[in-house]
Amino acid sequence: MKSIFSVLQKIGRAFMLPIAILPMAGILLGVGGAFTNPTLIQTYQLNFLAEGTIMNKILILCSTVGSLVFANLPLLFAVGIAIGLANINKETAALSAVLGFLIFHTVINLILKFMGITPDVVSVDYLMQAGKSVAEAQGIKASYASELGIFTLQTGVFGGIICGMVSAYVTNKFSNVALPDYLAFFSGNRLVPVITILIFIPIGAIFPFFWPAVFRTIVKAGEAFSAMGYPGTFLYGFSMRLLNVFGLHHAIYPLFWYTPLGGVMEVGGKMVEGGQNIFFAQLADTTVKHFSANATKTMTGGFLPMMFGLPAAALAMYKTADFKNKKIIKGILVSAALTSFLTGITEPIEFTFLFVAPPLYLIHAILEGLSYMLMQMLDVAVGITFSRGLIDFTFFGLLQGMSKTSYQWILILGPIYAVVYYYVFKFMIIKFNYATPGREGAENKLYTKKDYQEKAGEDKLLTDIVESLGGIDNIQNIDACITRLRVSVKDETKVSDDNRWKELNAKGVIRSGKGIQVIYGTQAEIYKNKIRKKYNI
């Protein structure tokens, strides 16, 4: 189990790099789509945005650039995952991923030609003339796609993930190989592209013989998830919140956002797979009347707990704190609440109560699952790029309008969710005397970054973090997601206990074998970069 946790943690960490590109692309697409909408321009008489104006052309440019990113996600995932999983020579892994991706799809294209499969013979019209029904024809056509102008199998992001993983493996395995003198030129990094070519030729050659069956199985799994209806959506939201404790949600949700597990839909004459991909394809299509709530069902449900619920929970913790401590914890809780409300980053507030009051986290997960289900039931379709805070709500809800998103339900149910969170948390904290921040006997007293820097200085903090991980020699790899340092260590017994991490201002620690996650909120990425620079990792 611990080895599985370690693998999933590493995969989730690798996913974060390509996913980090999407917020800016989504904002460009959202702004471009909203302010080139003829209805919005006409309703508010925004004539300076009308078709043909300079501003209109700039906005179309923004929308086009955003669409470009989403259209090339498989390649971006290939490169991002190769960099994320490579332990050494990450730039070589990136080059290997691009090379492997091109070879992979070129070889698939050639094998399909040998099999007599071309774009013409998989068109809906051709297949219907051959006796297929409309549904059968569309299903067959959906099995094929174009990647960088290459006709190939519809491997989508899965194909990118495979290319990235193989490229990282090749880089880790062959970067330091020394060949005999007469082949010395091809030693080390130069050997990686050679092996990449040799490996991806057979991989691409065998794919057409088994991938169509795999693709159909994935589509069936996505259909089965949809067939579960509202209970399935509840289970998804509930499970993702529980997995968030271990940082494993990053390894799961991309499969629903970018692959057929999240649905397959025709948008603008093209088959699009994955919930987030469908949303942004519809965002770029001006003919869409209302975005698909089925596509966004793995996204929209987080707005209620993140924008309204958790800030109310922070208020409950403040109200139940001892009077003498309220001034101390006020800044901490306000900062955590604002972070959740504005950006949808929840760890800073969740980990203030998770370890001292696990039942509160379970209730939080249940309420989040209910929110996901409610949003789908009410046909709310507000997509996201980064997280479910005010920023994404503005770009992909407010600016797109009620008619396309039904965002009004978030504003209607949000205050109700806030009341529920507040009174449930307040009741539970008082009833069971949970040692939440500011209460007598609380061991998880938090300090702001400023407080600690004044006490010890940031350089000492970085040194202490490394020493608490067992020293630099005990660290195999150190990385970070949005809120956590993700570390692989050689000997987990050398890692300091939780009390030491609390002294170092950590919100919590997750341990599973040699995989260690230290929650530092939004400072995690900064600490990771500074530690790498300080110790030349």
Side-chain angles (χ1 to χ4, degrees):
M1 180 62 72
K2 290 183 178 179
S3 62
I4 294 174
F5 177 92
S6 181
V7 170
L8 287 175
Q9 175 179 265
K10 194 170 185 179
I11 292 172
R13 184 175 65 237
F15 277 158
M16 287 306 297
L17 183 57
I19 289 173
I21 301 169
L22 303 183
M24 191 62 215
I27 289 171
L28 287 173
L29 188 55
V31 171
F35 288 106
T36 55
N37 187 322
T39 303
L40 182 141
I41 294 171
Q42 184 176 359
T43 301
Y44 297 100
Q45 297 183 350
L46 304 175
N47 297 327
F48 66 98
L49 299 178
E51 185 177 354
T53 63
I54 299 239
M55 283 302 300
N56 181 264
K57 291 174 181 178
I58 292 173
L59 289 166
I60 290 174
L61 174 64
C62 292
S63 181
T64 302
V65 171
S67 296
L68 174 71
V69 172
F70 287 95
N72 290 284
L73 278 182
L75 176 60
L76 296 175
F77 265 82
V79 176
I81 286 174
I83 293 171
L85 294 180
N87 298 324
I88 53 176
N89 301 321
K90 292 180 180 288
E91 68 282 1
T92 304
L95 178 62
S96 173
V98 174
L99 179 61
F101 188 85
L102 292 171
I103 294 171
F104 177 68
H105 287 293
T106 299
V107 172
I108 289 176
N109 173 270
L110 190 59
I111 299 299
L112 291 177
K113 283 182 181 177
F114 293 159
M115 298 168 68
I117 301 174
T118 65
D120 292 335
V121 302
V122 295
S123 67
V124 173
D125 290 341
Y126 181 92
L127 292 167
M128 289 179 65
Q129 290 175 7
K132 301 291 184 182
S133 67
V134 175
E136 289 174 328
Q138 289 177 336
I140 294 172
K141 184 179 184 298
S143 300
Y144 302 92
S146 177
E147 294 289 355
L148 302 178
I150 303 169
F151 174 71
T152 182
L153 291 169
Q154 178 63 278
T155 59
V157 167
F158 274 124
I161 292 171
I162 292 168
C163 291
M165 287 182 168
V166 172
S167 298
Y169 171 79
V170 171
T171 303
N172 293 335
K173 186 78 173 176
F174 296 99
S175 281
N176 294 326
V177 171
L179 297 175
D181 288 345
Y182 58 89
L183 292 174
F185 175 80
F186 295 103
S187 294
N189 283 344
R190 295 189 186 95
L191 183 60
V192 172
V194 174
I195 302 298
T196 297
I197 293 171
L198 294 177
I199 284 182
F200 273 98
I201 289 175
I203 290 176
I206 64 174
F207 246 68
F209 298 100
F210 75 88
W211 181 255
V214 173
F215 180 79
R216 286 193 293 271
T217 301
I218 296 171
V219 172
K220 292 292 184 184
E223 291 173 349
F225 173 57
S226 295
M228 292 177 68
Y230 303 137
T233 306
F234 167 83
L235 186 61
Y236 175 88
F238 174 74
S239 301
M240 286 300 102
R241 186 46 51 195
L242 292 183
L243 287 173
N244 182 62
V245 175
F246 306 102
L248 299 183
H249 56 304
H250 292 308
I252 306 299
Y253 74 77
L255 302 180
F256 290 90
W257 286 13
Y258 309 118
T259 79
L261 281 176
V264 178
M265 185 179 295
E266 184 175 348
V267 183
K270 296 181 179 180
M271 299 304 294
V272 183
E273 58 182 44
Q276 193 181 69
N277 287 340
I278 292 170
F279 173 78
F280 282 106
Q282 291 187 329
L283 189 64
D285 185 352
T286 57
T287 65
V288 174
K289 301 299 182 184
H290 193 288
F291 302 137
S292 170
N294 283 331
T296 63
K297 66 184 178 182
T298 58
M299 293 176 273
T300 308
F303 284 106
L304 294 181
M306 292 181 183
M307 287 179 61
F308 299 95
L310 286 176
L315 178 60
M317 286 188 278
Y318 173 76
K319 288 290 188 180
T320 55
D322 295 340
F323 180 79
K324 62 182 179 181
N325 294 325
K326 284 188 175 182
K327 186 176 180 180
I328 298 173
I329 67 163
K330 181 178 180 180
I332 299 168
L333 291 175
V334 168
S335 175
L338 281 175
T339 299
S340 181
F341 178 74
L342 293 174
T343 70
I345 296 176
T346 60
E347 277 90 339
I349 189 169
E350 287 173 333
F351 282 92
T352 62
F353 65 82
L354 172 61
F355 292 107
V356 295
L360 287 178
Y361 196 88
L362 179 62
I363 291 171
H364 169 45
I366 293 171
L367 288 171
E368 182 150 334
L370 288 172
S371 175
Y372 273 80
M373 185 175 72
L374 283 171
M375 292 298 97
Q376 186 187 11
M377 291 174 67
L378 295 170
D379 201 31
V380 183
V382 180
I384 70 169
T385 55
F386 172 64
S387 196
R388 301 147 182 94
L390 181 63
I391 296 172
D392 273 1
F393 177 70
T394 299
F395 284 117
F396 308 116
L398 292 176
L399 290 181
Q400 309 310 320
M402 291 184 190
S403 62
K404 283 193 171 185
T405 65
S406 301
Y407 73 76
Q408 69 273 13
W409 286 108
I410 294 176
L411 298 179
I412 293 170
L413 294 177
I416 297 174
Y417 248 64
V419 170
V420 171
Y421 265 80
Y422 176 77
Y423 283 105
V424 168
F425 269 62
K426 186 176 181 181
F427 171 79
M428 294 284 287
I429 291 169
I430 295 173
K431 174 72 174 177
F432 298 102
N433 197 28
Y434 289 134
T436 50
R439 287 177 63 77
E440 191 68 33
E443 297 179 355
N444 65 328
K445 182 180 177 181
L446 303 176
Y447 298 89
T448 65
K449 179 186 175 187
K450 182 179 178 182
D451 291 335
Y452 190 87
Q453 286 180 351
E454 290 175 351
K455 179 182 176 183
E458 187 175 84
D459 189 66
K460 186 177 186 303
L461 172 61
L462 300 179
T463 301
D464 288 345
I465 289 173
V466 171
E467 289 178 355
S468 297
L469 290 168
I472 191 63
D473 292 335
N474 194 44
I475 298 175
Q476 286 185 314
N477 185 57
I478 183 168
D479 215 317
C481 63
I482 297 169
T483 57
R484 309 169 189 223
L485 285 175
R486 293 169 176 256
V487 188
S488 298
V489 297
K490 297 175 184 177
D491 184 355
E492 63 272 27
T493 63
K494 294 183 178 180
V495 178
S496 297
D497 61 22
D498 289 359
N499 288 330
R500 176 55 178 157
W501 287 111
K502 290 170 187 173
E503 293 173 2
L504 297 180
N505 199 29
K507 305 295 190 297
V509 184
I510 306 293
R511 309 165 190 263
S512 183
K514 300 182 185 303
I516 308 296
Q517 296 179 16
V518 188
I519 296 90
Y520 270 112
T522 52
Q523 297 300 315
E525 179 74 14
I526 296 172
Y527 290 168
K528 179 262 293 185
N529 290 334
K530 291 185 176 181
I531 289 172
R532 282 185 168 183
K533 182 177 180 180
K534 179 179 175 69
Y535 293 94
N536 196 28
I537 298 177

